[in-house]
Amino acid sequence: MGALLESYAQGTWFRAADEGRPLTDAATGATVARLSSTGLDVAGMVEYGRRVGGPALRALTFHERAAVLKSLAKHLTGFTDEFHALSHRTGATVRDNAFDVDGGLGTLFSYAGRGVRELPNDTVYLDGPTERLGRGGTFAGQHVYTSRPGVAVQINAFNFPVWGMLEKFAPAFLAGLPTIVKPAAPTAYLTERVVRRVVESGLLPEGSLQLLAGGPEGLLDHLGPQDTVAFTGSAATGALLRAHRAVVSGGVRLQVEADSLNCSVLGPDVAPEDPEFALYIDQLVTEMTVKAGQKCTAIRRALVPEHRVEDVVAAAAERLAAVVVGDPADPGVDMGPLAGHDQRTEVRAAVAALRAGADTAYGDPDRGALSGADRERGAFVSPVLLRARTGAAQPHDVEAFGPVSTVIGYRTVEDAVALAARGRGSLVGSVVTRDPAVARAVVLGCAPWHGRILVLDGDCAEESTGHGAPLPVLVHGGPGRAGGGEELGGVRGVLHHMQRTAVQGSPDMLTAVTGRWTTGSRRTTGQEHPFRKSLARLRIGDTVSSAPRTVTLDDIAHFAEFTGDTFYAHTDPEAAAANPLFGGIVAHGYLVVSLAAGLFVDPAPGPVLANYGVDNLRFRTPVKAGDSIAVQLTAKQITPRAGADYGEVRWDAVVRNGDGDTVATYDVLTLVAKEDPAG
């Protein structure tokens, strides 16, 4: 019979009163669970997310949210065996689990790390430098990102029930936006199991994650301009969502990842005996068989030079003949079934449509050897490789969402680029070549039509993550037919969920709003050197202004000899005099910075533990022998590190000469103890 899946809504598990529809094991056809959301208060879920989840998340800093994600990832890692076992019932093999289950957990870990390294320990993110808007420096502007008081709704596809949820959840959570997950029906039981383990952990703020196990009817009706919807699925459903009044006139932000006829180009420089040829065949077969080809990033079109078509077909067919199809729980099986019988019917129909413009080079979707499985009970199909006829349109119009790819011949690199563009927008493309000119031509020609492009050769093959693997640090999405959306991409995926606002005002007001010292703001000077203050006592704007120091010709000569930097502008008076920028011997820029450090540093042991970098260094005015310099150092940003007894302080450094001209500007980065040393 199968247990009825429950939704997690408004802080409790909800079970529908009816029996629901059966969800079947992809390999055996047996009922795994049943699905229904009849009677679920979807309006209440939206309101609960906004009223409870949103405020709880927004009360946490980026670093605190990142710490929760890391704890959650560690917690879920303890259940990977359980998730893998249930994942097999979706048709996933041992290899497939590395992409869905393990890949989802890896995305959580990645965003947890990025949240600490690249976001401030604050609730506001500053975008770019301050813009000076007036001559006197009393009026300025700063772009900021803030959390929106809405919800993030994700409507997911059936092929990645774990990764598909977590790759959307992690950026939204970091952005301070509570999530409502609506998984696709065929594999919803795996998503529900993961959500149960999340809820049981007690790690998430209440209301930050809810699960709608059932149909999405009425959900969009309750969304507004502060809400987002991220959809992964068919172009037809994406079009329906775009036409919904909540999107058309209600201000809901919709992101769509849809059908994608991804291509891989074999460079004209690659011959069958080259290592790159083997890489191309391996990549093609891998993308056809991982997740039984049910990947939005799989290779649907193999674009190869016309004189290499038969070579590619023969090599790929030989590899495909060795692919073991069968019981996905068997470690010896390479490819499992499709997600269900409905999906198998769709793939068979798509293959029939493709055959109107292509001939079968290998495989038959209706037959083929199986290992430990029943073809009628399970949703199995054989890998199918097609050879396109000259000028055929079908391979550029029809997607078979399964283990199916079409080999298409091209005449020139320009022809290959034109064929790639006939897909009308794709998530990913790749080119396998050792020729830099071919790589540049293909990448620049295809980039407007693709969200990601892999250039593969023997140099990067060992470390390459492959054509079809989206990475949390790189954008995932594509233009045109692929939906026009964009996810992931590191911090970009977080900022997508936030609101960017240009804030104008005086430097003091911008400092108050942003939490970062703004040029022109008040500085605080006192008897105590800022380096004597721990994070507990240091304040934004605390400043030390040094006494001046004269830079001598001996200083310049010694620095040149000591470092080996004997560039003529520092050592040859005649040549330096002829330089139109200097007109004589000038001090090394790094000498100026080194001397400035000697002017502002308090050398005794204290709260400052280390200097770990310099950002945004610019040399503004040359320093000549006899010039004096002084430095002004101001605490610009203070970031305590979670789980450590120290934090980071960013200092604004300005070096000026005796005439008051700015010589150098930069940020000094230090690690400072949270509390003053004992004694």
Side-chain angles (χ1 to χ4, degrees), residues 30 40 54 123 201 222 227 285 297 299 323 373 383 421 476 489 495 511-512 520 544 555 627-628 633 669 675:
L40 181 63
T123 58
S201 75
H222 304 289
D227 305 316
V285 173
T297 54
I299 297 172
V323 171
H476 177 56
L495 301 181
T511 295
V544 58
D555 290 331
D627 286 351
S628 66
L633 191 76
L669 310 177
E675 301 293 339

Side-chain angles (χ1 to χ4, degrees), residues 369-422:
L370 289 180
S371 174
D374 186 302
R375 181 172 300 279
E376 295 308 313
R377 295 175 61 192
F380 294 95
V381 296
S382 164
V384 175
L385 185 68
L386 303 172
R387 181 194 299 104
R389 302 184 195 116
T390 302
Q394 289 84 355
H396 309 293
D397 296 329
V398 178
E399 180 182 23
F401 200 71
V404 182
S405 189
T406 303
V407 180
I408 305 168
Y410 71 81
R411 298 181 299 279
T412 65
V413 171
E414 292 75 18
D415 185 34
V417 169
L419 288 171
R422 289 186 64 181

Side-chain angles (χ1 to χ4, degrees), residues 11-143:
T12 189
W13 288 97
F14 169 86
R15 180 187 293 266
D18 59 355
E19 293 185 355
R21 57 178 285 195
L23 307 180
T24 59
D25 186 306
T28 68
T31 298
V32 179
R34 306 186 74 83
L35 182 71
S36 174
S37 57
T38 301
L40 181 63
D41 181 7
V42 293
M45 293 177 71
V46 173
E47 191 273 337
Y48 189 77
R50 292 174 182 155
R51 177 176 55 84
V52 177
L57 273 177
R58 293 194 296 274
L60 303 177
T61 68
F62 290 114
H63 286 197
E64 289 169 333
R65 297 170 202 161
V68 173
L69 286 182
K70 184 175 182 179
S71 296
L72 180 62
K74 289 181 176 180
H75 174 77
L76 293 178
T77 299
F79 297 94
T80 51
D81 289 345
E82 176 187 355
F83 299 153
H84 286 176
L86 190 57
S87 180
H88 289 318
R89 307 200 71 175
T90 73
T93 64
V94 173
R95 177 179 63 168
D96 296 338
N97 282 337
F99 289 88
D100 186 27
V101 177
D102 302 348
L105 299 181
T107 300
L108 285 183
F109 277 117
S110 178
Y111 269 96
R114 293 260 161 177
V116 172
R117 293 192 306 271
E118 300 183 21
L119 295 172
N121 195 9
D122 201 342
T123 58
V124 59
Y125 178 85
L126 308 190
D127 179 31
T130 302
E131 300 290 344
R132 184 168 174 166
L133 303 178
R135 285 186 179 180
T138 62
F139 187 52
Q142 174 69 59
H143 289 95

Side-chain angles (χ1 to χ4, degrees), residues 240-256:
L240 290 175
L241 293 174
R242 285 193 176 96
H244 194 282
R245 61 178 178 80
V247 176
V248 173
S249 59
V252 172
R253 302 187 188 190
L254 173 66
Q255 176 159 287
V256 174

Side-chain angles (χ1 to χ4, degrees), residues 81 135 142 177 180 183 216 259 276 427 459 530 553 561 578 659:
D81 289 345
R135 285 186 179 180
Q142 174 69 59
L177 208 57
I180 298 175
D259 305 348
E276 281 71 25
L427 296 172
D459 292 341
L553 192 59
E561 180 182 0
D659 295 328

Side-chain angles (χ1 to χ4, degrees), residues 182-433:
K182 192 280 170 194
T187 56
Y189 51 86
L190 179 53
T191 305
E192 192 237 29
R193 181 68 60 85
V194 176
V195 172
R196 279 193 180 276
R197 298 298 175 248
V198 171
V199 173
E200 290 168 1
S201 75
L203 292 168
L204 299 187
E206 181 54 52
S208 58
L209 178 64
Q210 298 181 84
L211 173 69
L212 196 171
E217 292 80 9
L219 178 58
L220 266 66
D221 295 336
H222 304 289
L223 302 183
Q226 294 295 320
D227 305 316
T228 64
V229 175
F231 167 75
T232 300
S234 70
T237 303
L240 290 175
L241 293 174
R242 285 193 176 96
H244 194 282
R245 61 178 178 80
V247 176
V248 173
S249 59
V252 172
R253 302 187 188 190
L254 173 66
Q255 176 159 287
V256 174
E257 180 203 314
D259 305 348
S260 184
L261 289 166
N262 310 297
C263 69
S264 183
V265 179
L266 178 66
D269 57 297
V270 179
E273 63 272 16
D274 293 334
E276 281 71 25
F277 187 86
L279 290 174
Y280 186 84
I281 299 302
D282 182 67
Q283 175 175 265
L284 175 60
V285 173
T286 296
E287 292 303 320
M288 289 179 65
T289 56
V290 169
K291 293 290 289 186
Q294 298 169 115
K295 292 170 57 185
C296 54
T297 54
I299 297 172
R300 307 300 181 195
R301 299 176 297 155
L303 306 182
V304 306
E306 286 183 340
H307 67 285
R308 296 293 183 208
V309 167
E310 294 308 317
D311 293 328
V312 169
V313 165
E318 182 180 359
R319 284 287 308 279
L320 289 169
V323 171
V324 178
V325 181
D327 178 6
D330 183 348
V333 165
D334 301 308
M335 191 181 93
L338 300 175
H341 287 198
D342 290 345
Q343 182 62 19
R344 183 174 66 179
T345 299
E346 290 185 13
V347 168
R348 287 173 172 172
V351 170
L354 286 167
R355 281 175 171 164
D359 300 313
T360 301
Y362 176 85
D364 186 329
D366 297 320
R367 54 182 58 88
L370 289 180
S371 174
D374 186 302
R375 181 172 300 279
E376 295 308 313
R377 295 175 61 192
F380 294 95
V381 296
S382 164
V384 175
L385 185 68
L386 303 172
R387 181 194 299 104
R389 302 184 195 116
T390 302
Q394 289 84 355
H396 309 293
D397 296 329
V398 178
E399 180 182 23
F401 200 71
V404 182
S405 189
T406 303
V407 180
I408 305 168
Y410 71 81
R411 298 181 299 279
T412 65
V413 171
E414 292 75 18
D415 185 34
V417 169
L419 288 171
R422 289 186 64 181
R424 304 192 307 281
S426 300
L427 296 172
V428 59
S430 61
V431 55
V432 181
T433 179

